[in-house]
Amino acid sequence: MKEIPLEELEALINRLYHAERGEISTLTIGITIDCIEEYDFTNIKERLLQRFQAVFDEQNRLGQI
């Protein structure tokens, strides 16, 4: 299994949200299931924290924080 790209994770979360609300098609639900089976989700929290820290550091460097 490969790690899910964070952009694909965002799309997956969006599809799951709309699936819970009954707002997507059965085809999209099938694609979502395939995506879940394709990727390894074990390091998501660490990867998101690293991305957050990188963005925070860059904004701090630019004086935006």
Side-chain angles (χ1 to χ4, degrees):
M1 286 189 151
K2 57 186 177 180
E3 287 188 343
I4 188 169
L6 292 179
E7 295 78 15
E8 180 64 24
L9 177 61
E10 180 182 9
L12 175 62
I13 290 168
N14 189 39
R15 288 192 305 266
L16 290 171
Y17 169 79
H18 289 287
E20 282 293 313
R21 296 173 52 113
E23 299 174 347
I24 62 174
S25 69
T26 55
L27 175 62
T28 305
I29 292 172
I31 292 168
T32 303
I33 291 168
D34 290 345
C35 176
I36 291 169
E37 291 175 346
E38 179 179 350
Y39 291 111
D40 176 12
F41 292 89
T42 56
N43 295 321
I44 296 231
K45 180 180 177 182
E46 292 80 15
R47 291 172 57 211
L48 288 172
L49 288 171
Q50 288 172 356
R51 178 73 61 97
F52 172 84
Q53 188 64 52
V55 170
F56 179 85
D57 291 345
E58 181 64 12
Q59 288 177 339
N60 193 33
R61 184 185 72 75
L62 296 173
Q64 296 175 343
I65 295 179

